[in-house]
């Protein structure tokens, strides 16, 4: 599998609310939301009760909700992931993976409905991986009880999950994607007649501070979470929820990235960002004015401390190797706006220090070559552009957000426009606040891999219907 685009080590937590509504005929629509909400009369619910499970949305980067597994139920939080198809949870038999000790772990000895399976199970999606063995249990999602569900008890969990706040994942992709061809939870909901319609839908709040953070409706849609009508396009390949994107536009100008046959894309609720081919993502990031974190920090060092660095070098009051320490840029202290992009991130602390040391080194060379300070600063600014940040998302000054272009995905001949505040993430506070581009490279060498992965950023902007019965996806402007 290709590299997933979710690479941000600063992800915090979300919770998810499960609102279950039971119609009078015994069939159910299950609503997973972040807060107790009123039943929408436009959904065919009839007389109903609702059950609400509180959820959180932190920084618009993780969404997850609570399920129960076993008898009596053991409670877990899971990411509802349309980019995978298995249910997996940490096992009490996981001893040698650090992430297991940071999560709830399923204990089969405490359940009366556990059935042994023992088949080896492994999921490897490039940047994240787990392995373990299959077991069978009853799974509660709100008031729904899915019986005899195969799931993976994970005994090895990759360290990339340390930053994730949920316990496991519940895949909502097709069975074709499932490890060991295990029947997904959604399939068993349908097979056991737990929902009426072969449809589920996802809405995510645009406001990370909102009490209501999002909603999944199993068996229908919630009319109040979208405006207008959904545009439906066919699923082109089962496995992921894959479809065709006709074109990608910066404002109204085509990037020519999809040619005559379109670009393969998937909707992936388990991914925060917008992933695409590296060369196209680079075009987009240049068009919106985003640049690597190293470049941004380098420019900031020169802007705020260039005069002081130059004076230190000219007067030789301090040895060049001591200048950055004197300025407190290499001690984890960031005065006057030179701060880590994300609080608590040692990676960004290193970038600030390295940017200063590079600036000092370059300034030394330019001084020896006889350049004036004005000439040297021009050279230094250009040199900052050559710095690479391969593991960091490009950033831009949040103050210029309103002047940035819209980026559009043309789907079914209709442009779906993302405005700057929809494709950028705001990170940090005060002078250290920056906006981080949501476009990231998802290049894969595997044949048949989709070129584009449209994650939570897209779903937040466009309420999405996953129509399993008619094998199609529906998009409408989110409300």
């Amino acid at each position: 599998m290709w590299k997933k685009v979710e690479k941000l080590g600063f992800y915090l937590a979300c919770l998810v609310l499960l609102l279950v509504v039971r119609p009078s005929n015994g069939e159910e629509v299950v609503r997973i939301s972040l807060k107790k909400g009123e039943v929408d009369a436009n959904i065919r619910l009839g007389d109903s009760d609702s059950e609400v499970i509180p959820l959180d949305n932190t920084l618009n980067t993780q969404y997850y909700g609570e399920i129960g597994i076993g008898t009596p139920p053991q409670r877990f939080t899971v990411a509802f992931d349309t980019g995978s198809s298995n249910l997996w949870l940490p096992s009490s038999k996981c001893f040698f993976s650090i992430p297991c000790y940071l999560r709830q772990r399923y204990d089969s000895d405490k359940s009366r409905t556990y059935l042994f399976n023992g088949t080896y199970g492994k999921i490897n999606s490039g940047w994240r991986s787990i392995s373990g063995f299959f077991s069978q249990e009853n799974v509660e999602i709100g008031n729904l009880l899915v019986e005899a569900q195969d799931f993976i008890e994970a005994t090895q969990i990759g360290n990339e999950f340390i930053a994730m706040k949920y316990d496991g994942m519940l895949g909502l992709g097709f069975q074709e994607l499932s490890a060991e061809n295990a029947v997904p939870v959604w399939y068993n909901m349908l097979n056991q007649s737990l929902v009426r319609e072969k449809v589920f839908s996802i809405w995510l709040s645009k406001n990370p501070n909102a009490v209501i953070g999002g909603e999944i409706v199993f068996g229908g849609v919630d009319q109040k979470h979208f405006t207008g009508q959904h545009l439906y396009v066919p699923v082109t390949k089962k496995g992921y929820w894959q479809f065709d994107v006709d074109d990608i536009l910066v404002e109204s100008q085509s990037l020519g990235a999809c040619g005559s046959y379109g670009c393969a894309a998937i909707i992936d609720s388990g991914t925060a960002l917008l992933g695409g081919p590296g060369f196209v993502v680079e075009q987009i990031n240049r068009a919106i004015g985003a640049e690597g974190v190293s470049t941004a920090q380098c420019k900031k060092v020169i802007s705020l401390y260039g005069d002081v660095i130059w004076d230190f070098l000219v007067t030789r009051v301090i040895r060049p190797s001591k200048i950055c320490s004197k300025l407190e840029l290499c001690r984890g202290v960031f005065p006057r706006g030179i701060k880590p992009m994300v609080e608590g991130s040692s990676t960004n602390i290193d970038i600030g220090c390295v940017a200063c040391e590079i600036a000092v080194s370059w300034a030394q060379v330019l001084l020896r070559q006889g350049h004036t300070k004005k000439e040297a600063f021009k050279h230094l600014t250009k040199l900052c552009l050559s710095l690479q940040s391969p593991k960091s998302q490009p950033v831009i000054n949040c103050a210029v957000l309103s002047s940035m272009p819209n980026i559009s995905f043309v789907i079914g001949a209709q442009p779906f426009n993302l405005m700057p505040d929809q494709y950028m993430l705001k990170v940090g506070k005060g002078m250290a606040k920056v906006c981080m581009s949501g476009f990231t490279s998802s290049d894969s060498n595997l044949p048949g891999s989709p070129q584009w992965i449209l994650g939570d950023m897209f779903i937040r902007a466009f309420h999405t219907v996953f129509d399993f019965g008619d094998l199609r996806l529906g998009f409408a402007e989110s409300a």
Side-chain angles (χ1 to χ4, degrees), residues 288-352:
I288 65 179
E291 56 193 8
V293 173
S294 296
T295 294
Q297 287 283 31
C298 179
K299 286 183 175 181
K300 190 172 284 189
V301 166
I302 293 169
S303 173
L304 296 178
Y305 294 100
D307 288 330
V308 178
I309 290 172
W310 188 262
D311 291 343
F312 279 152
L313 291 174
V314 170
T315 60
R316 300 182 182 179
V317 173
I318 299 174
R319 294 201 308 270
S321 61
K322 300 294 184 181
I323 290 177
C324 294
S325 295
K326 180 69 176 177
L327 295 175
E328 296 186 315
L329 296 178
C330 290
R331 295 182 180 179
V333 179
F334 294 80
R336 297 204 309 172
I338 302 293
K339 294 184 179 180
M341 300 291 179
V342 182
E343 298 299 330
S345 171
S346 60
T347 300
N348 286 303
I349 290 175
D350 292 339
I351 289 174

Side-chain angles (χ1 to χ4, degrees), residues 101-406:
Y101 292 93
L102 304 176
R103 289 161 166 73
Q104 298 294 321
R105 290 184 283 176
Y106 166 76
D107 188 344
S108 59
D109 291 337
K110 296 179 179 179
S111 174
R112 299 191 301 271
T113 48
Y114 162 75
L115 287 176
F116 175 77
N117 181 315
T119 303
Y120 176 73
K122 180 178 182 180
I123 302 173
N124 188 343
S125 60
W127 76 277
R128 63 187 182 191
S129 61
I130 66 100
S131 61
F133 57 91
F134 279 93
S135 293
Q136 192 176 94
E137 264 290 14
N138 291 346
V139 178
E140 291 184 4
I141 302 178
N143 279 342
L144 291 185
L145 181 63
V146 181
E147 297 180 338
Q149 176 64 50
D150 288 324
F151 72 103
I152 298 175
E153 284 194 53
T155 55
Q156 294 286 332
I157 300 178
N159 286 337
E160 60 273 12
F161 280 101
I162 290 175
M164 304 304 173
K165 301 302 180 181
Y166 45 78
D167 299 315
M169 303 189 80
L170 192 156
L172 294 172
F174 291 91
Q175 188 170 357
E176 284 82 350
L177 194 63
S178 180
E180 300 303 319
N181 201 38
V183 179
V185 174
W186 168 242
Y187 282 53
N188 277 329
M189 282 187 190
L190 300 176
N191 295 338
Q192 297 172 27
S193 301
L194 299 179
V195 294
R196 176 188 303 172
E197 303 291 339
K198 295 182 178 181
V199 167
F200 64 90
S201 57
I202 299 179
W203 168 80
L204 301 177
S205 173
K206 302 173 184 177
N207 181 2
N209 300 315
V211 177
I212 299 175
E215 179 179 277
I216 302 177
V217 179
F218 288 109
V221 299
D222 191 334
Q223 301 287 337
K224 69 176 178 287
H225 286 317
F226 63 91
T227 60
Q229 300 294 318
H230 288 87
L231 173 74
Y232 285 91
V233 293
V235 170
T236 56
K237 183 179 180 181
K238 290 174 66 177
Y240 304 105
W241 286 89
Q242 184 168 319
F243 63 104
D244 285 338
V245 169
D246 302 331
D247 202 355
I248 300 164
L249 313 177
V250 176
E251 289 297 347
S252 59
Q253 299 298 313
S254 171
L255 291 177
C258 295
S260 303
Y261 300 100
C263 294
I266 66 170
I267 293 291
D268 187 351
S269 62
T271 292
L273 305 179
L274 304 165
F279 74 98
V280 182
V281 168
E282 184 178 352
Q283 281 182 271
I284 293 173
N285 283 328
R286 285 184 178 179
I288 65 179
E291 56 193 8
V293 173
S294 296
T295 294
Q297 287 283 31
C298 179
K299 286 183 175 181
K300 190 172 284 189
V301 166
I302 293 169
S303 173
L304 296 178
Y305 294 100
D307 288 330
V308 178
I309 290 172
W310 188 262
D311 291 343
F312 279 152
L313 291 174
V314 170
T315 60
R316 300 182 182 179
V317 173
I318 299 174
R319 294 201 308 270
S321 61
K322 300 294 184 181
I323 290 177
C324 294
S325 295
K326 180 69 176 177
L327 295 175
E328 296 186 315
L329 296 178
C330 290
R331 295 182 180 179
V333 179
F334 294 80
R336 297 204 309 172
I338 302 293
K339 294 184 179 180
M341 300 291 179
V342 182
E343 298 299 330
S345 171
S346 60
T347 300
N348 286 303
I349 290 175
D350 292 339
I351 289 174
C353 177
V354 170
C356 177
E357 292 179 345
I358 289 173
V360 170
S361 176
W362 285 341
Q364 275 186 283
V365 173
L366 294 170
L367 181 60
R368 292 195 196 105
Q369 291 176 350
H371 290 280
T372 66
K373 181 164 70 172
K374 184 177 180 180
E375 292 171 340
F377 278 25
K378 287 183 178 179
H379 284 293
L380 287 172
T381 301
K382 290 180 180 179
L383 288 167
C384 283
L385 297 174
S386 67
L387 294 178
Q388 300 296 315
S389 302
K391 295 183 180 180
S392 301
Q393 287 302 109
V395 297
I396 196 167
N397 186 341
C398 293
V400 303
L401 221 61
S402 60
S403 64
M404 292 166 56
N406 292 341

